Amino acid sequence: MSKSGIAVTPDCVTKFNELKLGKTIKYIIYKLSDDYKEIVVEDSSTDPEWENFQNKIVAAKSSYKGKEGKGPRYAVYDFQYELDGGEGTRNKIVFISWSPDEGTLVFPRMTYASSKEALKNALNGIGAEVQANNEDEIEYSTILKDISRGKR
Protein backbone atom coordinates (compact mmCIF):
# COMPACT_ATOMS: atom_id res chain seq x y z
CA MET A 1 0.00 0.00 0.00
CA SER A 2 1.21 3.50 -0.81
CA LYS A 3 1.66 6.52 1.44
CA SER A 4 -1.68 7.72 0.12
CA GLY A 5 -3.40 4.48 1.15
CA ILE A 6 -3.93 3.36 -2.45
CA ALA A 7 -3.50 -0.35 -3.14
CA VAL A 8 -2.00 -2.04 -6.20
CA THR A 9 -4.41 -4.62 -7.64
CA PRO A 10 -3.04 -8.14 -8.28
CA ASP A 11 -3.83 -7.72 -12.01
CA CYS A 12 -1.15 -4.99 -12.19
CA VAL A 13 1.55 -7.46 -11.17
CA THR A 14 0.14 -10.33 -13.26
CA LYS A 15 0.11 -8.19 -16.42
CA PHE A 16 3.64 -6.93 -15.69
CA ASN A 17 4.89 -10.50 -15.35
CA GLU A 18 3.30 -11.32 -18.72
CA LEU A 19 5.25 -8.42 -20.27
CA LYS A 20 8.49 -9.35 -18.52
CA LEU A 21 8.41 -13.12 -19.03
CA GLY A 22 6.20 -13.64 -22.05
CA LYS A 23 7.71 -10.90 -24.20
CA THR A 24 4.46 -10.56 -26.17
CA ILE A 25 3.10 -7.44 -24.47
CA LYS A 26 4.94 -4.25 -25.46
CA TYR A 27 3.45 -1.89 -22.89
CA ILE A 28 1.02 -1.55 -20.01
CA ILE A 29 -0.72 1.66 -18.95
CA TYR A 30 -1.84 1.90 -15.33
CA LYS A 31 -4.24 4.39 -13.78
CA LEU A 32 -5.93 5.12 -10.51
CA SER A 33 -9.44 3.70 -10.27
CA ASP A 34 -12.30 6.19 -10.60
CA ASP A 35 -12.74 6.20 -6.80
CA TYR A 36 -8.98 6.79 -6.27
CA LYS A 37 -8.64 3.72 -4.03
CA GLU A 38 -6.44 1.43 -6.13
CA ILE A 39 -4.07 1.27 -9.08
CA VAL A 40 -5.51 -0.74 -11.98
CA VAL A 41 -4.50 -1.77 -15.50
CA GLU A 42 -6.05 0.64 -17.98
CA ASP A 43 -4.61 -0.83 -21.17
CA SER A 44 -1.96 -3.18 -22.51
CA SER A 45 -0.86 -3.81 -26.06
CA THR A 46 1.45 -5.75 -28.33
CA ASP A 47 1.70 -2.72 -30.68
CA PRO A 48 5.42 -1.94 -31.12
CA GLU A 49 4.85 1.64 -32.36
CA TRP A 50 6.10 4.14 -29.76
CA GLU A 51 3.98 6.92 -31.25
CA ASN A 52 0.74 4.99 -30.63
CA PHE A 53 1.74 4.40 -27.02
CA GLN A 54 2.77 8.03 -26.58
CA ASN A 55 -0.53 9.28 -28.02
CA LYS A 56 -2.50 7.17 -25.54
CA ILE A 57 -0.51 8.50 -22.59
CA VAL A 58 -0.74 12.13 -23.68
CA ALA A 59 -4.50 11.89 -24.38
CA ALA A 60 -5.33 10.41 -20.94
CA LYS A 61 -7.93 12.23 -18.84
CA SER A 62 -8.71 12.25 -15.14
CA SER A 63 -11.73 13.61 -13.36
CA TYR A 64 -12.38 14.65 -9.81
CA LYS A 65 -15.53 16.15 -8.28
CA GLY A 66 -17.11 16.77 -11.67
CA LYS A 67 -14.06 18.45 -13.22
CA GLU A 68 -11.91 16.92 -15.93
CA GLY A 69 -8.28 17.54 -16.79
CA LYS A 70 -5.26 15.89 -18.34
CA GLY A 71 -4.65 12.56 -16.72
CA PRO A 72 -1.48 11.44 -15.02
CA ARG A 73 -0.60 7.80 -15.72
CA TYR A 74 1.97 5.17 -14.96
CA ALA A 75 3.24 2.91 -17.69
CA VAL A 76 5.72 0.13 -18.28
CA TYR A 77 7.27 -0.15 -21.73
CA ASP A 78 9.52 -2.94 -23.04
CA PHE A 79 11.99 -0.60 -24.74
CA GLN A 80 14.18 -2.14 -27.43
CA TYR A 81 17.17 -0.28 -28.85
CA GLU A 82 20.39 -0.78 -30.79
CA LEU A 83 23.74 -0.19 -29.12
CA ASP A 84 26.18 2.20 -30.76
CA GLY A 85 28.88 0.61 -32.88
CA GLY A 86 26.77 -2.38 -33.92
CA GLU A 87 27.20 -4.10 -30.56
CA GLY A 88 23.71 -5.58 -30.70
CA THR A 89 20.15 -5.04 -29.53
CA ARG A 90 19.12 -4.46 -25.93
CA ASN A 91 15.80 -4.49 -24.12
CA LYS A 92 15.08 -2.50 -21.01
CA ILE A 93 11.81 -2.45 -19.11
CA VAL A 94 11.12 1.22 -18.47
CA PHE A 95 8.75 2.54 -15.80
CA ILE A 96 7.20 5.83 -16.90
CA SER A 97 5.44 8.24 -14.60
CA TRP A 98 3.48 10.72 -16.75
CA SER A 99 2.12 13.79 -14.97
CA PRO A 100 1.61 16.79 -17.27
CA ASP A 101 2.66 20.14 -15.83
CA GLU A 102 -0.30 21.97 -17.36
CA GLY A 103 -3.98 21.09 -17.42
CA THR A 104 -3.88 18.47 -14.65
CA LEU A 105 -6.20 18.73 -11.66
CA VAL A 106 -4.38 19.06 -8.32
CA PHE A 107 -5.92 16.08 -6.51
CA PRO A 108 -5.15 13.49 -9.23
CA ARG A 109 -1.63 14.89 -9.67
CA MET A 110 -0.83 14.71 -5.96
CA THR A 111 -2.41 11.28 -5.56
CA TYR A 112 -0.41 9.86 -8.47
CA ALA A 113 2.80 11.33 -7.04
CA SER A 114 2.23 9.80 -3.60
CA SER A 115 1.23 6.38 -5.01
CA LYS A 116 4.04 5.82 -7.54
CA GLU A 117 6.41 3.98 -5.20
CA ALA A 118 3.76 1.40 -4.28
CA LEU A 119 3.40 0.37 -7.93
CA LYS A 120 7.14 0.47 -8.64
CA ASN A 121 7.86 -1.69 -5.60
CA ALA A 122 5.28 -4.26 -6.71
CA LEU A 123 6.86 -4.62 -10.17
CA ASN A 124 10.12 -6.54 -9.86
CA GLY A 125 12.41 -6.22 -12.87
CA ILE A 126 12.21 -2.56 -13.87
CA GLY A 127 15.40 -1.53 -15.66
CA ALA A 128 14.94 2.25 -15.80
CA GLU A 129 12.59 4.97 -14.64
CA VAL A 130 11.39 8.06 -16.47
CA GLN A 131 9.50 10.97 -14.95
CA ALA A 132 7.81 12.91 -17.75
CA ASN A 133 5.94 16.17 -17.22
CA ASN A 134 5.74 17.48 -20.78
CA GLU A 135 5.55 15.93 -24.21
CA ASP A 136 9.25 16.53 -24.98
CA GLU A 137 10.19 14.28 -22.07
CA ILE A 138 8.17 11.37 -23.44
CA GLU A 139 9.62 11.48 -26.96
CA TYR A 140 11.25 8.24 -28.11
CA SER A 141 14.59 9.95 -28.80
CA THR A 142 14.71 11.59 -25.35
CA ILE A 143 14.06 8.34 -23.52
CA LEU A 144 16.44 6.39 -25.76
CA LYS A 145 19.22 8.88 -25.07
CA ASP A 146 18.72 8.63 -21.32
CA ILE A 147 18.30 4.88 -20.93
CA SER A 148 21.07 3.91 -23.35
CA ARG A 149 23.48 5.98 -21.23
CA GLY A 150 22.04 4.61 -18.02
CA LYS A 151 20.91 8.05 -16.83
CA ARG A 152 17.42 7.05 -15.78
Side-chain angles (χ1 to χ4, degrees), residues 3-75:
K3 292 177 188 175
S4 62
I6 293 176
V8 177
T9 61
D11 188 42
C12 293
V13 176
T14 301
K15 191 61 79 174
F16 176 76
N17 287 334
E18 286 177 34
L19 177 143
K20 182 173 77 172
L21 303 172
K23 294 293 183 183
T24 55
I25 298 173
K26 191 67 176 171
Y27 65 82
I28 306 163
I29 298 173
Y30 300 95
K31 71 173 210 155
L32 292 175
S33 59
D34 293 339
D35 61 5
Y36 289 90
K37 292 188 178 181
E38 56 190 10
I39 300 170
V40 298
V41 173
E42 180 178 43
D43 190 18
S44 65
S45 179
T46 58
D47 183 356
E49 293 299 320
W50 176 265
E51 191 173 297
N52 295 336
F53 162 75
Q54 181 182 10
N55 289 339
K56 283 184 181 184
I57 289 282
V58 170
K61 302 282 184 201
S62 287
S63 60
Y64 181 69
K65 292 190 176 182
K67 295 181 181 178
E68 187 175 88
K70 290 182 179 179
R73 290 295 186 271
Y74 312 114

Side-chain angles (χ1 to χ4, degrees), residues 120-134:
K120 273 182 42 186
N121 291 339
L123 307 178
N124 295 316
I126 293 171
E129 179 183 349
V130 172
Q131 172 67 47
N133 300 99
N134 64 58

